[in-house]
Amino acid sequence: MTTETTVLAIETSCDETACAVIKYDSLANRYFTLSSVVSSQIDIHSVYGGVVPEVASRAHVERIDGVIEAALSEAGFSGRQGIDLIGATCGPGLIGALLVGVSAAKALAFAWDLPFIGINHLEGHLFASFLDESGPPEFPAVVLLASGGHTILLEIVGPGDYILLGQTLDDAAGEAFDKVARYLGLGYPGGPEIDRLSKVGSPKSVPLPRVMTGHDLDLSFSGVKTAVIRFVDAHPEVTNADVAASFQDNAVLALTKRLFEGAERVEAKTVMIAGGVAANSLLRESVENEAKARGVAHRIPNRKDCTDNAAMIGAAAIWRYLESGPSDPFMGAKSNMKLTYR
Ligand code: KG4
Ligand code: ZN
């Protein structure tokens, strides 16, 4: 009996058209990224200062076939041969964008007579850490999932078994980066711009309130965002680099603090970060330093596995399939799909 399972996975929940081929070897308990192709639409949307849903859907339609072909050929496949499953992000995300990926995946599954696995995008982000060459993390793990639409702190008891420890009470972390960047007149998406500019700014130049609330392990970004705007209005001479560095320092401090408070509470064996904000240089450095200081194992996925991609969807799809078989054939795109947690 073969110990290998290979998936072709598709991700189109927002503004990246992505396809990956991932192999899992159950004997070695390791996932292998055979290819991971991401066609970003950032250039198209940046002129609007944000993602325009209808424009995103059209761009997915134009690109999806080429991206699938590229992922297959980069992985050394020429068609169905060697592929065992087809996975796709079903939600949450932009409905028109999701429909393009789900329809392409279902069409391939039907044409090639393969099982279809629908994946929650947030669960996909959690699986980015499973792609590490040392295999899946040790559990229980605590993960900070911070993206453009979500910021949640979860305990992963085991794959598929999640407990919510905390979440943002207002803006998602990525959204706060994007809003501050937009206010400063930087490009879209703002997170990478703030990250880049911060390297030449001073983090202590703008006095800002802590990103924090009294509520348990929750977070709140609206106060600090408003404080940035007020400070810049009152001090027009302050440089964008100093504002970016001060905001980033503040946000990273809070995110790191919550992650390790959560880890301590559940006595986590591993701490992890996931989602687009996990690509942030300072957050990566801060989590690594803190984990080393505390002697806790940590997982920081490669940058390209943090922002939206299909490799993470592929890893989640293989796990789900081996755990519970194919998805219901009527499972379709759902823009407000929720992650199931306790
Ligand atoms: O996970 P993701 O690619 O898409 C969603 O599922 O939302 O996350 C996108 C978010 C955006 O808000 C973007 O500004 C942020 O991740 N981001 C960053 C960095 N790279 C992407 N934030 C801070 N620093 C970065 N280097
Ligand atoms: Zn995402």
Side-chain angles (χ1 to χ4, degrees), residues 17 19 29 70 85 112 130 138 154-155 188 196 209 224 235 259 269 275 293 323 327 332:
T17 316
C19 181
N29 192 19
L85 320 166
W112 290 351
F130 289 53
E138 268 203 88
L154 290 176
E155 175 184 357
Y188 178 85
R196 190 180 51 77
V224 72
H235 302 84
L259 174 61
K269 293 205 171 113
E323 182 71 12
S327 296

Side-chain angles (χ1 to χ4, degrees), residues 16 121 125 146-149 174-175 177-178 189-192 195 275-277 279-281 306-308:
E16 323 279 0
H121 179 80
H125 274 301
S147 67
E175 190 182 356
F177 272 86
D178 294 341
D195 192 347
V277 179
N280 183 268
S281 317
C306 292
T307 47
D308 287 351

Side-chain angles (χ1 to χ4, degrees), residues 69-317:
E69 275 178 37
L72 277 170
S73 93
E74 261 183 43
F77 293 80
S78 56
R80 181 205 188 286
Q81 203 62 41
I83 304 287
D84 303 306
L85 320 166
I86 306 290
T89 303
C90 282
L94 304 170
I95 191 65
L98 288 164
L99 270 170
V100 177
V102 171
S103 308
K106 284 192 168 179
L108 275 181
F110 183 72
W112 290 351
D113 194 20
L114 292 173
F116 165 77
I117 322 291
I119 292 297
N120 182 303
H121 179 80
L122 301 179
E123 183 163 59
H125 274 301
L126 304 183
F127 272 78
S129 280
F130 289 53
L131 296 164
D132 192 277
E133 58 189 27
S134 49
E138 268 203 88
F139 303 109
V142 167
V143 59
L144 170 77
L145 167 49
S147 67
H150 299 85
T151 294
I152 51 178
L153 186 67
L154 290 176
E155 175 184 357
I156 306 184
V157 181
D161 186 2
Y162 313 118
I163 298 176
L164 182 70
L165 301 175
Q167 60 189 324
T168 180
L169 299 175
D170 38 61
D171 291 348
E175 190 182 356
F177 272 86
D178 294 341
K179 284 181 176 169
V180 168
R182 189 177 311 156
Y183 184 73
L184 297 177
L186 307 174
Y188 178 85
E193 291 294 318
I194 297 227
D195 192 347
R196 190 180 51 77
L197 254 187
S198 294
K199 295 193 165 68
V200 292
S202 158
K204 300 289 173 230
S205 47
V206 179
L208 294 173
R210 284 273 170 89
V211 179
M212 205 68 73
T213 69
H215 298 267
D216 211 23
L217 290 176
D218 291 335
L219 288 147
S220 164
F221 290 95
S222 69
V224 72
K225 186 190 63 194
T226 310
V228 166
I229 293 170
R230 286 220 183 101
F231 187 88
V232 176
D233 284 348
H235 302 84
E237 72 289 355
V238 69
T239 67
N240 274 356
D242 284 348
V243 178
S246 302
F247 168 74
Q248 177 178 274
D249 193 62
N250 209 291
V252 165
L253 190 76
L255 292 168
T256 309
K257 188 166 182 290
R258 287 305 197 219
L259 174 61
F260 285 92
E261 282 170 354
E264 225 167 69
R265 181 179 297 183
V266 307
E267 297 181 16
K269 293 205 171 113
T270 315
V271 294
M272 320 195 316
I273 51 175
V277 179
N280 183 268
S281 317
L282 186 66
L283 180 62
R284 299 169 73 85
E285 197 184 304
S286 161
V287 169
E288 178 163 4
N289 290 342
E290 190 67 26
K292 281 185 177 156
R294 292 171 181 244
V296 182
H298 62 287
R299 286 295 177 87
I300 300 176
N302 293 329
R303 275 200 167 80
K304 71 185 282 269
D305 292 332
C306 292
T307 47
D308 287 351
N309 67 87
M312 63 186 197
I313 303 301

